[in-house]
Amino acid sequence: MSVDSLTASASLTGAEPWLVLPPALAVPPGAGAICDDEGARKIGRGAAEGAFTTAPALVAHASLTARRLGLAPPPRSNEMLDVLELFAFVRPARFCAPSPTGLALAMGLEEPKGAEAQATALRAAADGLLRELSDPAYPHREDAYTLNETLARAGWSWAWRVSGALQHHPLRARQHRGSGMDVWSRLAEWEDEAPRGEAGSAPVDSESARIRLEKLLQASGLDETRPTQSDYAAEAAYAFSPRNEEGRPRVLLAEAGTGTGKTLGYLAPASLWAERNQGAAWVSTYTRALQRQIDRESASLWPDPVERKRKAVVRKGRENYLCLLNLQEMVQAAQLGNGDVIGLALAGRWALHSRDGDMTGGDYPGWLPGLFATASSHQASAANLVDRRGECVHAACPHYRTCFVEKTIRASRRADLVVANHALVMTQAAFDGARSARGLKQDGETAALKRIVFDEGHHLFDAADSAFSACLSGQEAAELRRWIRGPEGRGRRGRGLEQRLGDLCADNEAARKALQDAMHAAAQLPGEGVSGRVAPASGEVNPIGPIERFLVAALEQLRARTSEGSSPGGIEFGMECSLRPVTDPVLEAAREAAKALAGIEAPLLALSRHLEDILDDESVELDGSSRARIEGALRGLDRRARMTLPGWRSMLAALDSDTGEADPDFVDWLSAEAAFGRIHDVALRRHWIDPTVPLEAAVVMPSHGVLVTSATLSDPMSDDPFDLARMRTGAARLIEPARTLKVESPFDYAANSRVIVVNDLVKDDPRQIAAAMRELFLAAGGGGLGLFTAIRRLKTVYERLGPDLAKHGIPLYAQHVDPLEVGALVDVFRAEQDSCLLGTDAVRDGVDVPGRSLRILAFDRVPWPRPDLLHKARRARFGGEGASGRGYDDALARARMAQAFGRLIRRGDDKGVFVMLDAACPTRLFASLPPGTEVIRMGLAEAVELVGAFLKAD
């Protein structure tokens, strides 16, 4: 429909032309509906496909809609108007689940049930957004109009309607308008402040913590304090009391059942300590979802948004934040015809309104880059726009003063509460510890890491395992080469050492020579396309350099030692094998690889020393910008030359030891990662058998107080329920023993939950699992979460389950299937009360869905730990009952099931059913479930009847 025809239609109806909308198309699974001026009506699949491909249409998430119609994701066109794009323009940095229902809820409408209601809501959302733009009080109308003109030139389908809405009330006449894309020039600059100084040692007593908690609850609109929550806050104060000796932190292991209110429980003493001691209390989480939740709960402490922004800061690693230089480079390329102008313009508009520039779990709409078919290299996605692996030029960047990362770092130094994640806390603490050991000052990011709350403490072991491990792989080595030499392929962005440091080393011959030597030596590292040379589909390997030759030899050993290596159908899940006994080709290649790595390490260390000399010798002449650049470069050099490269050389050198025996503290192995039947990387890996050893040394011991808390820390099957928690947090080795606390959930689980083991299914038959989930989810009326221990089984069940649920109007979403990342999938699942979701561990850990949206949870089988080489070594070290280590495996499986159960009941009025579809599940694995839960074993037919009766709406 042309603009002229819409104008004519508008004149007949009396509506503004920009408010005349094309039909809205909603395609929930198994149904379709269209809504136009005559109302909403159901349509068949063929009609829906026709409306999607030929006529102008409103949709919500074009790519997801296409997938439901069995079509390829569409490119942008004038005929396809995605209302989510309009939402991103009108309400930048505001939350919206990416679906018609999500749009309706974001606009304050009721949840639309069924295809017709969704189509109607979709049209209403578009109408409401355009009217919002037409309001003369709409903020920054001039800026919005300027950017929209650029979007119009780029062919944005919404542009002329947005223009009409913005001009509904007069705008100032301007002779010249810019593109509106240069957001980096309009962001506020950060301002440096004097150092805050060392935090004090004023204690926080239990009674003060109780009083503060009561005030927080009143600020949240709650009238009374729950006794268990008050007791929790009082005990948590112990972690904020002053230590009496160095190396003897106050450590508390606190299990708080779901519904205890532990977040406000520990924020009470944490905020008191921060006020009294002028320091920052750090709260560390494992998932992004909990980071957001804690940030929201901090509003009870600081209701004023301006004060809260200053007092509470969310901290993540650099790789989570928008890099303005990357954005500028992509915008410039797009304006020259090599990129997605529309996507980048919307990302830039978000940047102007974002709280902190966080693209991964913050206020960036992660669904935005995937709405239409766009080349991955052109997408306005986190993969392209954040700082990757130390490419930052720090003060040499023209946007240094407006940089989101620098703003966040400086804000965290002045904050009372820093909400971080386990990975950042551990890697930064390890880095600070290494610098302190060399007599250098600690990095400012976590120098004040003295009081730490580890929420989701049951993940501390796994986080430490990841943070303190080493991996020499093709991709990791290629990343190091790129960091040193810069991007070497066409169209690649990034900055090597020459670009970052060349001018600073120009007048220092020794530094200049070290830089050139490092650049030359790095040519021995793998470059672009390493997987195609090491593991090509043709089988004709062509390694370049000693590292690639080592990886080829490693892959040959893998194939010789595993059954997957000779699989005629290709490798589906990758391979791993013990490193020892080492084959002669691997040993010979390891020697050459170690020599090459030493040749890179030496000039990088020399360069680091020369830069330190420049800081000392030229301290008077150096301006602040140059000093900041050198200090930033030194941090990157320290990480690589003093941590990464020595770790790689150590692994390789261990192969050539005289004894040939492995270090008893580590597990070394070879692995190959595969996707779609092809190997895409080969690696030599080293992990601590007990990663709490470095965790204790780098994080726990240097701190003054640590609170480790979770809903699942204890194991009731042990003589001492906290034995496993002590072992998996490093508390077992502390000089000052850790205190323990267990607070039960206040929920009535006997009345509000049911636990069922279905005992008449064959768990290895995906048809039976799909049929069981279908009947159970239908009996519940939706609101089902299916958890799987293998991606292949998930996909197989999805193919069978989706059409069956769709016939009953129940949408089914799935991780690894739908074109949405996990957070967006959970957002949609939360918004649509009757939808269902399939996922793996990432979904189980990231789900916070109170209310009816999650009312039945089904495990396809017992979530035993995967018996890989690393787990076997740990089971042998930590296993409880004899050599079999059954107690260790049981404890891990029990904890996973308890965590999943905890997702089911989030509020006092929630009702939910936990179902295990594995008849072989031992009763002992349910011991970690809250008191009052009863495990019932029955056939599928009985289970379906029970679920229907128990969850029947009042």
Side-chain angles (χ1 to χ4, degrees):
M1 187 178 292
S2 68
V3 175
D4 291 339
S5 62
L6 284 170
T7 304
S9 174
S11 65
L12 293 174
T13 61
E16 296 285 352
W18 45 270
L19 273 178
V20 178
L21 296 168
L25 176 66
V27 189
I34 199 160
C35 179
D36 53 23
D37 295 336
E38 298 177 359
R41 58 190 181 278
K42 288 185 178 180
I43 56 175
R45 181 188 177 101
E49 184 176 333
F52 185 79
T53 56
T54 62
L58 299 176
V59 297
H61 208 297
S63 290
L64 185 58
T65 304
R67 189 188 180 284
R68 287 182 175 159
L69 293 171
L71 303 172
R76 283 196 183 87
S77 72
N78 289 330
E79 305 295 293
M80 184 69 64
L81 291 89
D82 199 314
V83 184
L84 287 168
E85 272 197 331
L86 180 62
F87 185 93
F89 181 91
V90 178
R91 297 186 178 184
R94 301 269 292 276
F95 173 77
C96 177
S99 70
T101 300
L103 278 163
L105 295 176
M107 296 297 296
L109 306 173
E110 291 185 1
E111 179 189 352
K113 299 290 185 72
E116 293 166 289
Q118 288 186 18
T120 302
L122 192 54
R123 211 156 188 255
D127 182 88
L129 289 167
L130 290 171
R131 291 181 187 275
E132 195 171 314
L133 276 180
S134 70
D135 189 331
Y138 183 77
H140 310 294
R141 292 173 64 233
E142 298 280 344
D143 289 344
Y145 184 78
T146 298
L147 183 62
N148 186 61
E149 286 191 316
T150 298
L151 287 165
R153 290 190 292 271
W156 191 36
S157 56
W158 285 104
W160 74 265
R161 287 183 172 85
V162 167
S163 179
L166 288 169
Q167 293 183 88
H168 187 60
H169 292 276
L171 294 163
R172 284 183 298 167
R174 288 187 181 180
Q175 188 173 1
H176 299 291
R177 290 183 183 269
S179 68
M181 301 280 281
D182 58 340
V183 294
W184 45 84
S185 66
R186 287 175 281 147
L187 291 168
E189 295 186 350
W190 51 261
E191 295 182 3
D192 223 345
E193 299 182 52
R196 193 177 192 179
E198 186 78 16
S201 299
V204 176
D205 60 277
S206 297
E207 189 58 32
S208 296
R210 291 183 191 271
I211 294 171
R212 171 56 60 91
L213 173 63
E214 187 175 352
K215 291 181 179 178
L216 294 182
L217 291 169
Q218 290 172 354
S220 301
L222 302 174
D223 296 331
E224 59 183 43
T225 305
R226 285 166 281 180
T228 53
Q229 187 180 26
S230 182
D231 292 344
Y232 177 90
E235 291 295 325
Y238 172 72
F240 297 93
S241 60
R243 67 180 184 180
N244 295 326
E245 294 181 37
E246 184 181 10
R248 295 188 133 185
R250 307 286 194 177
V251 178
L252 173 66
L253 307 179
E255 177 174 293
T258 305
T260 302
K262 62 181 169 58
T263 302
L264 287 181
Y266 60 65
L267 286 182
S271 60
L272 268 177
W273 179 87
E275 286 178 15
R276 293 177 178 179
N277 295 286
Q278 297 299 298
W282 283 61
V283 177
S284 179
T285 75
Y286 189 70
T287 62
R288 295 167 181 163
L290 186 56
Q291 268 190 304
R292 293 195 298 269
Q293 178 186 325
I294 294 169
D295 183 42
R296 289 194 300 269
E297 300 239 21
S298 69
S300 301
L301 285 163
W302 305 289
D304 178 17
V306 176
E307 183 185 20
R308 179 166 155 251
K309 186 175 181 179
R310 187 177 72 254
K311 294 283 192 179
V313 175
V314 176
R315 275 290 285 118
K316 298 181 181 180
R318 286 181 170 268
E319 67 279 2
N320 293 279
Y321 296 94
L322 172 69
C323 169
L324 294 171
L325 189 54
N326 281 348
L327 176 63
Q328 182 183 15
E329 291 179 352
M330 285 195 72
V331 164
Q332 290 171 343
Q335 289 175 326
L336 294 174
N338 187 27
D340 177 19
V341 172
I342 295 171
L344 291 166
L346 293 174
R349 183 157 170 76
W350 160 80
L352 279 175
H353 296 82
S354 174
R355 174 183 171 183
D356 56 9
D358 180 4
M359 296 193 75
T360 60
D363 51 21
Y364 184 71
W367 38 260
L368 184 59
L371 296 181
F372 294 97
T374 306
S376 59
S377 60
H378 292 166
Q379 289 181 354
S381 63
N384 292 323
L385 290 174
V386 301
D387 173 31
R388 288 292 180 190
R389 299 291 183 95
E391 67 180 13
C392 179
V393 296
H394 298 279
C397 178
H399 312 305
Y400 182 63
R401 299 287 305 183
T402 54
C403 174
F404 285 114
V405 177
E406 296 296 332
K407 285 179 183 176
T408 306
I409 291 172
R410 281 160 178 76
S412 68
R413 294 172 183 170
R414 307 292 302 179
D416 283 6
L417 179 69
V418 179
V419 185
N421 55 66
H422 296 350
L424 173 69
V425 168
M426 291 179 196
T427 55
Q428 194 62 41
F431 178 62
D432 280 350
R435 287 177 66 83
S436 295
R438 295 173 49 231
L440 301 175
K441 71 174 184 179
Q442 288 188 336
D443 191 299
E445 295 187 38
T446 55
L449 196 60
K450 302 302 180 189
R451 305 285 174 171
I452 317 170
V453 177
F454 285 111
D455 205 337
E456 298 180 304
H458 58 285
H459 282 301
L460 209 51
F461 187 91
D462 294 328
D465 182 40
S466 177
F468 299 110
S469 61
C471 171
L472 170 55
S473 71
Q475 298 299 329
E476 290 289 327
E479 195 66 50
L480 178 59
R481 174 177 175 139
R482 185 196 61 78
W483 183 81
I484 296 172
R485 293 174 62 90
E488 297 170 294
R490 289 192 303 172
R492 298 277 296 180
R493 298 186 323 282
R495 293 158 284 278
L497 284 179
E498 182 81 54
Q499 186 175 352
R500 298 201 295 273
L501 298 174
D503 60 323
L504 295 174
C505 298
D507 297 329
N508 187 308
E509 184 177 349
R512 192 170 65 251
K513 182 179 185 303
L515 176 58
Q516 293 303 319
D517 289 347
M519 299 279 290
H520 178 74
Q524 298 292 299
L525 292 167
E528 295 293 325
V530 54
S531 62
R533 295 187 296 274
V534 171
S538 65
E540 298 179 5
V541 298
N542 181 33
I544 300 175
I547 309 300
E548 291 189 15
R549 287 194 289 273
F550 168 74
L551 297 176
V552 168
L555 183 56
E556 288 303 312
Q557 178 170 324
L558 274 162
R559 285 173 167 149
R561 303 270 173 87
T562 62
S563 57
E564 289 88 348
S566 57
S567 173
I571 298 169
E572 185 175 1
F573 301 111
M575 301 179 286
E576 67 171 28
C577 76
S578 297
L579 190 56
R580 293 175 175 80
V582 184
T583 64
D584 289 339
V586 169
L587 185 57
E588 183 179 347
R591 291 168 182 157
E592 293 300 315
K595 183 178 178 181
L597 294 177
I600 301 167
E601 184 181 330
L604 289 180
L605 288 171
L607 177 60
S608 180
R609 290 192 295 268
H610 294 315
L611 290 175
E612 290 171 354
D613 291 342
I614 292 174
L615 282 178
D616 290 339
D617 299 341
E618 302 178 20
S619 58
V620 177
E621 294 86 357
L622 282 176
D623 58 34
S625 174
S626 297
R627 177 175 293 277
R629 287 172 60 193
I630 292 175
E631 290 176 346
L634 283 173
R635 286 195 292 269
L637 286 166
D638 275 354
R639 289 185 188 276
R640 291 158 181 84
R642 290 192 168 93
M643 297 176 76
T644 299
L645 282 167
W648 289 354
R649 287 198 304 104
S650 175
M651 287 192 292
L652 294 169
L655 301 182
D656 207 12
S657 64
D658 293 334
T659 62
E661 295 179 0
D663 188 319
D665 290 329
F666 296 96
V667 179
D668 294 349
W669 76 97
L670 298 174
S671 70
E673 296 179 8
F676 306 107
R678 287 192 55 188
I679 293 172
H680 61 82
D681 205 5
V682 182
L684 168 61
R685 300 181 180 275
R686 165 171 285 188
H687 284 240
W688 285 84
I689 292 181
D690 184 358
T692 66
V693 173
L695 170 66
E696 179 200 17
V699 182
V700 179
M701 290 289 282
S703 66
H704 290 219
V706 177
L707 168 61
V708 181
T709 188
S710 168
T712 54
L713 275 184
S714 67
D715 182 12
M717 298 297 285
S718 173
D719 293 337
D720 182 342
F722 282 92
D723 261 354
L724 188 65
R726 290 189 185 91
M727 182 275 292
R728 290 177 67 82
T729 59
R733 290 184 300 276
L734 292 174
I735 302 172
E736 184 89 18
R739 289 189 182 182
T740 60
L741 172 69
K742 184 177 174 69
V743 180
E744 299 291 354
S745 170
F747 297 152
D748 186 352
Y749 289 102
N752 293 345
S753 68
R754 296 290 182 269
V755 180
I756 302 171
V757 178
V758 177
N759 58 13
D760 59 354
L761 299 176
V762 178
K763 66 180 180 181
D764 293 324
D765 186 348
R767 294 173 300 178
Q768 293 193 35
I769 299 300
M773 286 192 176
R774 178 193 67 216
E775 296 305 320
L776 290 165
F777 290 173
L778 288 176
L785 175 62
L787 293 176
F788 292 79
T789 57
I791 297 172
R792 181 173 58 180
R793 288 199 302 275
L794 181 155
K795 291 181 176 180
T796 302
V797 169
Y798 175 85
E799 293 300 324
R800 294 179 175 276
L801 182 59
D804 290 344
L805 292 182
K807 292 175 184 177
H808 296 269
I810 295 178
L812 178 66
Y813 300 93
Q815 183 190 10
H816 304 293
V817 176
D818 288 309
L820 294 171
E821 48 91 22
V822 171
L825 281 172
V826 174
D827 289 340
V828 173
F829 178 59
R830 184 186 299 110
E832 300 180 6
Q833 284 198 358
D834 296 333
S835 65
C836 295
L837 175 64
L838 306 183
T840 56
D841 285 353
V843 170
R844 181 194 71 216
D845 294 331
V847 169
D848 181 25
V849 183
R852 280 183 49 79
S853 291
L854 174 53
R855 48 191 181 271
I856 181 169
L857 184 152
F859 263 108
D860 78 318
R861 60 179 61 192
V862 176
W864 296 114
R866 184 167 171 256
D868 54 23
L869 293 169
L870 183 59
H871 175 73
K872 289 178 181 177
R874 287 173 176 160
R875 183 168 59 193
R877 174 76 62 89
F878 305 125
E881 300 176 17
S884 69
R886 192 188 81 172
Y888 183 66
D889 285 351
D890 281 3
L892 295 183
R894 262 195 302 272
R896 291 174 181 177
M897 290 168 59
Q899 276 295 315
F901 183 86
R903 306 293 94 191
L904 192 58
I905 307 292
R906 308 297 290 170
R907 299 187 311 210
D909 57 351
D910 279 357
K911 294 183 71 174
V913 180
F914 181 102
V915 182
M916 174 62 69
L917 300 178
D918 185 346
C921 181
T923 301
R924 65 180 184 273
L925 296 187
F926 294 96
S928 289
L929 269 54
T933 54
E934 178 187 356
V935 180
I936 311 170
R937 295 179 181 269
M938 59 179 62
L940 177 61
E942 295 174 276
V944 169
E945 184 178 352
L946 188 155
V947 167
F950 181 69
L951 294 179
K952 185 177 180 179
D954 294 334

